Amino acid sequence: AQSVTQPDIHITVSEGASLELRCNYSYGATPYLFWYVQSPGQGLQLLLKYFSGDTLVQGIKGFEAEFKRSQSSFNLRKPSVHWSDAAEYFCAVDNYGQNFVFGPGTRLSVLP
Amino acid sequence: DTGVSQNPRHKITKRGQNVTFRCDPISEHNRLYWYRQTLGQGPEFLTYFQNEAQLEKSRLLSDRFSAERPKGSFSTLEIQRTEQGDSAMYLCASSLASTGEETQYFGPGTRLLVL
C-alpha cells in the first residue's frame, strides 16, 4: 500500500532561519506529490505540487520542494522563515487517482 | 470561485444522536472527497464521488456512515448513532479530474465533538 512518512513530528526554528521539512513516500509508480499547510482549526491550503518535469517546484509563500526519485523524497524548503509560517505541514501522494494518502504531519514552531 | 465550503463549522452532539454535514465544492469540480482527521494526525480518506456516483469507500466508513451527492453538486455526510470515537475534524475536498493531474482543494472542515 502507498504510504507517506514525515520523520519529524515537531520542528522549531528561529525567525529568519532556513527550513527543510522531510517527506518520504512508498509508491509503485511515478508519484504525484503535494505539500499542504494547515493552521490551527483550519482546512488545508495547497503550497505546491509535483506532477512531472522539473524536479524543483516553486510554491506559494516562498516555499519550494525538490523531488528526488532515487531517495523517494519530496522535501519542502524555505530560505527564511516568518513567524506566520508556524503551522502543521502535510505531505501527500496521489493514490492512483483515487484519493490522497497523507503523511502524519510536521508541526512547525517559529521562535521570535 | 468561492472555494470549498462546509457547514456547520462546529457540531457538538450527544452519543447516539445522528449528525449531518454538508459540503459545497468549487462549482466546476466533478470530484468530491471526504476525509477524517483526528488530533495530531494527517487526514484519512473516507469516500469520494465523481459527479453523483460514489466510486470508493474506505474501510473506515462503517455502516453508520453514509454519504450522498444527489445532483453531482453538494454532498452530505451523515453519521448515525454517533460514538465518542467519531469525534474528529471532517474535511471535504473537490477537484477537477480531467487530465489525471488532479489537485484537491480543501474546505475549512467541520469539527465534531461527541459527548
Side-chain angles (χ1 to χ4, degrees), chain A:
Chain A
Q2 284 63 248
S3 66
V4 177
T5 57
Q6 295 179 246
D8 304 305
I9 297 174
H10 184 203
I11 284 182
T12 300
V13 299
S14 297
E15 191 170 18
S18 63
L19 171 70
E20 182 169 28
L21 303 182
R22 295 183 290 165
C23 171
N24 294 95
Y25 63 89
S26 168
Y27 198 70
T30 302
Y32 295 161
L33 295 159
F34 304 81
W35 275 99
Y36 287 85
V37 60
Q38 186 177 38
S39 297
Q42 301 299 314
L44 280 73
Q45 181 183 21
L46 178 70
L47 284 176
L48 47 78
K49 57 191 176 183
Y50 171 78
F51 291 135
S52 64
D54 193 345
T55 56
L56 184 64
V57 293
Q58 302 298 318
I60 63 171
K61 303 185 178 186
F63 285 93
E64 66 178 25
E66 185 171 13
F67 170 58
K68 293 185 177 180
R69 184 185 301 276
S70 62
Q71 298 177 20
S72 297
S73 69
F74 188 56
N75 294 349
L76 182 72
R77 300 194 295 249
K78 186 170 184 177
S80 178
V81 170
H82 188 262
W83 63 267
S84 61
D85 294 324
E88 190 93 18
Y89 290 80
F90 293 96
C91 181
V93 62
D94 183 309
N95 182 28
Y96 298 106
Q98 295 186 358
N99 60 282
F100 281 11
V101 175
F102 284 86
T106 297
R107 183 160 63 93
L108 174 66
S109 297
V110 180
L111 299 175

